[in-house]
Amino acid sequence: EALDQAVGDVGDAFLSRHVAEQEQEFVAADPGDDVLAARHRLQALADLLTIRQHVGALQGLTIGWVGDFSNVARSLSLGAVMLGVSVQVACPPGYGPRDEDIEHVMTRARHGARITVTNRPQEAVAGAQVVTDGAAYVEEGKKVRVMER
C-alpha cells in the first residue's frame, strides 16, 4: 500500500532492480500494472547512462571489464555494443562467456563495436576509456569469493 501511495499514477510500469519475481504481484499498485524485475538489465542501463553522463558520446568508446562474466557483464556487453561501444572482458578461467554469449553479443554490435575476451586483466583495460569490474556485482542468492578468482 505504501508503494501504491508513493508511485500512484506515475506510469504504466514499475521497473526494479531488487524486486524478486514472487514479489511482483505485491508491488503492483493496480492489478493491471506491469512490474519488471529486470535486475542486471537495469544495472547495465544505469552503467551506460552514467558513462554517458561522465564521458559524453558513447559510440567509439571501449569499456574494460575485469571479473566473472556475470549476468550484469552479459547485459552490459550487449547494451554497449548495440550503442557502438566495444567491450574488452578479462575473466578468470572457467568464469568467462560461453561461445554462444559472444555470438549473441556480436550479432547485435553496431558501428564497428566488438567484444574481446581474455584472462589477462591488463589486456582488458588497455586502451579502455572506462574500466569496471565484477567484484561489485554478486549474483542474487550466491555468496562467492570473487576477489580470490
Side-chain angles (χ1 to χ4, degrees), residues 43-102:
Q43 183 63 53
L45 179 59
D47 290 347
L48 289 166
L49 289 170
T50 300
I51 293 167
R52 182 171 177 254
Q53 178 182 10
H54 289 279
V55 178
L58 294 174
Q59 188 175 326
L61 290 180
T62 298
I63 296 173
W65 174 278
V66 178
D68 296 2
F69 198 73
S70 63
N71 287 335
V72 173
R74 184 177 293 105
S75 292
L76 179 62
S77 296
L78 182 59
V81 300
M82 291 172 73
L83 296 170
V85 179
S86 291
V87 181
Q88 299 173 165
V89 178
C91 302
Y95 294 93
R98 301 169 304 187
D99 290 341
E100 53 266 25
D101 292 327
I102 296 170

Side-chain angles (χ1 to χ4, degrees), residues 3-27:
L3 183 62
D4 188 16
Q5 291 174 357
V7 296
D9 294 322
V10 173
D12 295 323
F14 179 78
L15 301 174
S16 174
R17 170 130 168 58
H18 299 287
V19 174
E21 309 247 344
Q22 61 270 26
E23 296 171 330
Q24 289 182 14
E25 272 186 49
F26 173 75
V27 172

Side-chain angles (χ1 to χ4, degrees), residues 78 81-84 104-115:
L78 182 59
V81 300
M82 291 172 73
L83 296 170
H104 179 72
V105 169
M106 286 305 299
T107 59
R108 285 153 178 82
R110 304 289 180 264
H111 311 291
R114 54 181 293 125
I115 182 172

Side-chain angles (χ1 to χ4, degrees), residues 115-138:
I115 182 172
T116 55
V117 181
T118 181
N119 62 1
R120 307 178 100 196
Q122 302 88 339
E123 292 177 13
V125 301
Q129 292 80 24
V130 176
V131 175
T132 188
D133 63 55
Y137 307 108
V138 176

